[in-house]
Amino acid sequence: MARYTLEELASKISGAKIENCADPKKVQVESVSPVNPGVTNSISFLASKKMLNEAKKTASSIVMTTSEFAKELEVPCLVVDKPDLILAQVLDLIYPPHKFENKVEANAFVHPKAKIGKNCYIGNFASVAEDAEIGDNVILEDGVRIGRGASIGEGSHVGPNNVIHHGVIIGKRFRSFGNCTIGGDGFRFVFANGKHNKIPQVGTVIVGDDVEMGSNSAIDRGGLENTIIGDGCKFDNLVHIGHNCVLGKNVVIAGYTGVAGSTTIGDNCTIGGGCGIADHLSIASGTIVGGGTSVRNTLSKPDIYVGWDYGLTFPEFQKLRVNIKNVVNFQKWARRIKAIESKLGLNTED
């Protein structure tokens, strides 16, 4: 961790101002902590009015917040326009990320016909195959495999034990964590003569710029066409994208979600954790799919979809839940009505 005074910290963040502090040279910060309860010599951030009361009682030495909230606090404040966004800069300053050397480790393998850019790190037991192209400032951590003819854009950081199969094209500033696989065969078999016969997958995977993939994610290569992941997509751990899928820009997918083959997801969609999305569907741009939802039909209008349904919006799903509850309760009501009729000596037909 690094230590800064409030004055030093403010000087490193464009547009930052200091409020509620007579001598910012004497206020020290060496960690980042939640605003509640806070820690001495730490900086916390306040971006929502929900935490304002907690911020008034915080033990932190500095609160990073907006000018609006700073007026209601007595603690020294680092004032910025978007505290939750600037938090990333503060974290990098106080907890500097590890800097990799410009180096190819002795036990790494780089094919003579591979092209390696400037200022790259290739880790222990990593391998780069024939005709692969690695851009400038790329990090390949230990155990990474880059297949023949694959391409990794500049500024990318490929996590340990990732496998990037042949012909995969990855854009700039890609980030992945451990054990991801990109460009493995799509899941296609034809059952004939008493067995499942494999159909070769001859497409590839094209990944845009600024994409991030969590640990153990898997993206299948296309069958005849390509699987495409748009710019700015962010995947949590254990996300699977099937062959021939096309994802637009800025799609966010939480963990344990699978998207079956040949499905198209529009721009700016948010998919919750544990979702199952069937094949050959289309999901409209701006759609939100709640966690645990099974999507079996095309979602043609942007809305919030939830449940195990066949494409119900959130209000429709709430009505369905009420109706199911009413059906269950009706059985109890029916038994009570029959008991009353029996006591009254009424004979009714079922």
Side-chain angles (χ1 to χ4, degrees):
M1 293 185 293
R3 175 186 284 266
Y4 295 92
T5 66
L6 176 53
E7 182 180 67
E8 291 169 336
L9 194 61
S11 70
K12 292 182 177 295
I13 298 172
S14 178
K17 298 178 181 179
I18 297 171
E19 294 189 15
N20 305 337
C21 186
D23 192 352
K25 293 181 180 179
K26 292 185 177 179
V27 180
Q28 300 281 329
V29 57
E30 61 183 9
S31 65
V32 180
S33 68
V35 72
N36 182 21
V39 179
T40 302
N41 292 335
S42 77
I43 183 171
S44 300
F45 82 101
L46 172 66
S48 169
K49 192 172 183 178
K50 293 179 181 179
M51 298 297 292
L52 181 58
N53 288 334
E54 283 76 4
K56 291 178 180 179
K57 300 177 288 185
T58 187
S60 294
S61 299
I62 305 169
V63 172
M64 181 171 63
T65 189
T66 63
S67 58
E68 175 190 0
F69 294 141
K71 295 174 183 177
E72 301 192 45
L73 300 175
E74 296 180 2
V75 65
C77 291
L78 181 66
V79 174
V80 296
D81 288 336
K82 295 183 178 180
D84 45 356
L85 182 62
I86 301 301
L87 177 63
Q89 294 181 39
V90 173
L91 288 169
D92 279 345
L93 287 168
I94 298 176
Y95 306 94
H98 175 71
K99 291 186 177 180
F100 288 84
E101 301 177 69
N102 177 16
K103 181 181 180 181
V104 177
E105 297 288 358
N107 51 15
F109 170 77
V110 177
H111 195 281
K113 292 186 178 180
K115 296 179 180 179
I116 308 298
K118 300 175 182 178
N119 194 34
C120 291
Y121 175 79
I122 300 178
N124 294 292
F125 303 105
S127 65
V128 182
E130 181 179 5
D131 296 327
E133 295 188 14
I134 309 299
D136 296 343
N137 304 306
V138 168
I139 297 166
L140 305 180
E141 290 202 48
D142 296 350
V144 167
R145 167 63 177 172
I146 306 297
R148 66 185 185 280
S151 174
I152 311 294
E154 65 182 55
S156 294
H157 185 155
V158 182
N161 299 315
N162 277 211
V163 178
I164 312 297
H165 285 272
H166 64 279
V168 169
I169 299 171
I170 292 179
K172 301 175 182 177
R173 298 174 298 278
F174 173 78
R175 181 71 169 97
S176 65
F177 293 84
N179 304 302
C180 292
T181 300
I182 304 176
D185 274 3
F187 192 69
R188 187 179 181 192
F189 298 85
V190 173
F191 188 80
N193 302 319
K195 66 176 183 178
H196 295 284
N197 298 272
K198 183 176 178 60
I199 304 300
Q201 305 290 281
V202 298
T204 189
V205 178
I206 300 175
V207 178
D209 297 338
D210 301 302
V211 171
E212 180 167 315
M213 295 183 183
S215 300
N216 298 294
S217 291
I219 316 298
D220 290 348
R221 71 191 311 110
L224 299 177
E225 300 178 322
N226 298 325
T227 300
I228 298 175
I229 309 298
D231 295 346
C233 288
K234 312 295 182 185
F235 301 159
D236 195 1
N237 303 330
L238 294 158
V239 168
H240 175 227
I241 307 297
H243 64 181
N244 300 334
C245 286
V246 176
L247 274 61
K249 297 179 180 179
N250 304 316
V251 176
V252 175
I253 303 181
Y256 290 95
T257 286
V259 182
S262 299
T263 283
T264 297
I265 299 177
D267 297 342
N268 304 309
C269 289
T270 299
I271 313 295
C275 292
I277 299 176
D279 59 291
H280 293 84
L281 304 183
S282 179
I283 295 179
S285 295
T287 293
I288 297 174
V289 179
T293 296
S294 173
V295 179
R296 299 177 182 272
N297 288 333
T298 283
L299 306 180
S300 57
K301 63 175 183 176
D303 211 317
I304 302 174
Y305 296 86
V306 294
W308 62 89
D309 51 82
Y310 284 75
L312 298 180
T313 64
F314 184 74
E316 291 167 345
F317 177 67
Q318 292 294 74
K319 290 179 182 179
L320 176 65
R321 290 180 63 190
V322 170
N323 288 335
I324 291 173
K325 186 175 180 180
N326 288 341
V327 169
V328 172
N329 288 336
F330 180 77
Q331 304 300 323
K332 298 178 183 178
W333 301 335
R335 287 193 294 270
R336 291 174 61 186
I337 292 170
K338 286 182 178 294
I340 292 171
E341 289 176 340
S342 178
K343 288 181 180 180
L344 294 176
L346 299 176
N347 294 320
T348 58
E349 296 181 2
D350 291 337

